Amino acid sequence: MKPIIQATQLQFSYGAHAVLKDVTLSIDPGEIIGLIGENGAGKTTLLNLMLGLFSAHRGQLHLFGQQPGAPIAKQRIGTMRQKDLVIRGVTVQEVLRLAAAQYPEALNVTTLLKNLDLTAIAKQRLTALSGGQLRRVTFALALVGNPDLLFLDEPTVGMDTNAQQAFWRRIQQLKAAGKTIVITSHYLPEIQAVADRICLLRNGEIAFQGTFQALQEQYQQVEITCQTALPVAAFENLPGVTAVTKTGPRLNISSEAGDTTLQALVPVLADLRQVTIKRESLTDIFVHLTKGVIA
């Protein structure tokens, strides 16, 4: 199976400032990739390279085996950028029809409006829409060309809870249909929930790429909570334990080596009740990897 996207040792600079440093990344058909990192880490630059808006100063980049920006590749890509398209005097239905005319295998606009629950605003002008409605229209514009590859940049900003849930259901449907999706977002719980793999950019370099489970295994901080009559001293010297607190019968154990600590607790499990284990979320790990700063 050939990758949809193949990047090898990409480098890009603004003057003397290196933005991307030897970025190597391969994305297979049907994958959902979460591209995360602080502001300035290089995410937008990498997306612009993939879209053919910039050219890499060094390295190689191919989409569908083509150079970025090649007509064959562009016909198979849908993009949802952060800035919504607002054209005065143009309705939702009209802008979708204009966009559909640019693609040889475009989706039926009426059907797309119905599937994305946009029929009620189809005849409204873009300038009359709320921010959340505009994001949904921008998503429709990304889909109307029936793309095989989707780039979604901060897709749910401005959407209300119902719209967000509907959006992620649609993403799962697109994945089931074999679409490849690259998502950048600061809403890390969303990335954790949907991404097959995570690519974390830090200072222009890939600090991690792989599954969330693999990332979690590298950062095994856990919080173990239970009720027990055993004293704090019985837990303080267990392997991996960094802190133990107790309030009445309720005990809290912090560990930097969760699996090892849990194994050490096996002999006293009979003395523990209501045990809960909380592993670090993607947000927690992101904080560690970016030294506590989330942009």
Side-chain angles (χ1 to χ4, degrees):
M1 180 171 56
K2 293 183 178 180
I4 293 286
I5 300 173
Q6 182 67 61
T8 306
Q9 296 184 318
L10 289 183
Q11 296 183 20
F12 186 88
S13 300
Y14 292 108
H17 176 57
V19 180
L20 295 177
K21 309 168 188 176
D22 293 322
V23 169
T24 295
L25 176 66
S26 180
I27 300 176
D28 291 329
E31 281 195 296
I32 297 180
I33 300 296
L35 182 61
I36 65 174
E38 299 174 89
N39 285 344
K43 303 185 304 296
T44 300
T45 299
L46 181 56
L47 286 181
N48 285 334
L49 289 174
M50 292 178 177
L51 291 170
L53 301 177
F54 297 164
S55 296
H57 295 155
R58 289 188 180 178
Q60 295 185 340
L61 177 60
H62 294 93
L63 284 75
F64 304 103
Q66 305 288 319
Q67 294 291 329
I72 295 175
K74 288 176 69 175
Q75 292 289 337
R76 300 177 66 182
I77 294 172
T79 307
M80 183 179 183
R81 305 305 297 264
Q82 289 188 45
K83 188 174 182 179
D84 299 310
L85 178 66
V86 180
I87 306 173
R88 290 186 176 277
V90 176
T91 68
V92 172
Q93 184 173 263
E94 288 169 345
V95 76
L96 285 171
R97 286 179 174 166
L98 286 169
Q102 308 303 312
Y103 296 92
E105 298 181 12
L107 300 177
N108 178 275
V109 170
T110 301
T111 302
L112 180 62
L113 287 166
K114 180 179 179 181
N115 289 342
L116 296 183
D117 197 23
L118 293 172
T119 302
I121 63 171
K123 295 183 179 180
Q124 290 189 30
R125 293 180 178 177
L126 297 173
T127 51
L129 302 181
S130 68
Q133 289 173 327
L134 279 172
R135 290 310 282 157
R136 292 165 58 203
V137 172
T138 301
F139 183 45
L141 285 167
L143 296 182
V144 73
N146 194 22
D148 296 309
L149 172 61
L150 277 166
F151 291 107
L152 308 176
D153 193 1
E154 300 290 350
T156 59
V157 171
M159 291 186 187
D160 61 30
T161 300
N162 289 335
Q164 288 178 4
Q165 291 177 349
F167 174 85
W168 292 117
R169 285 195 298 270
R170 184 64 178 174
I171 292 299
Q172 293 296 350
Q173 293 169 1
L174 291 166
K175 175 179 171 58
K179 307 297 184 182
T180 305
I181 306 170
V182 178
I183 306 170
T184 65
S185 177
H186 284 101
Y187 294 159
L188 299 186
E190 295 179 340
I191 295 291
Q192 179 179 331
V194 304
D196 298 309
R197 287 193 296 133
I198 293 164
C199 178
L200 172 61
L201 278 173
R202 182 176 59 193
N203 297 324
E205 299 177 304
I206 294 182
F208 174 85
Q209 59 175 312
T211 65
F212 173 65
Q213 290 72 22
L215 182 60
Q216 218 174 26
E217 288 173 6
Q218 291 186 20
Y219 295 86
Q220 289 203 23
Q221 285 85 353
V222 299
E223 295 291 329
I224 304 166
T225 304
C226 64
Q227 292 193 5
T228 182
L230 296 176
V232 167
F235 304 93
E236 288 179 323
N237 294 321
L238 293 179
V241 170
T242 57
V244 182
T245 59
K246 191 175 185 185
T247 304
R250 190 168 188 80
L251 183 80
N252 292 286
I253 302 171
S254 299
S255 170
E256 62 183 6
D259 292 345
T260 302
T261 301
L262 289 169
Q263 290 174 1
L265 285 172
V266 171
V268 296
L269 280 180
D271 297 306
L272 309 181
R273 302 180 306 281
Q274 299 181 20
V275 179
T276 60
I277 301 166
K278 180 186 176 184
R279 293 189 177 272
E280 291 211 319
S281 68
L282 180 58
T283 301
D284 297 327
I285 296 171
F286 183 87
V287 170
H288 289 305
L289 288 174
T290 55
K291 299 181 180 178
V293 179
I294 296 183

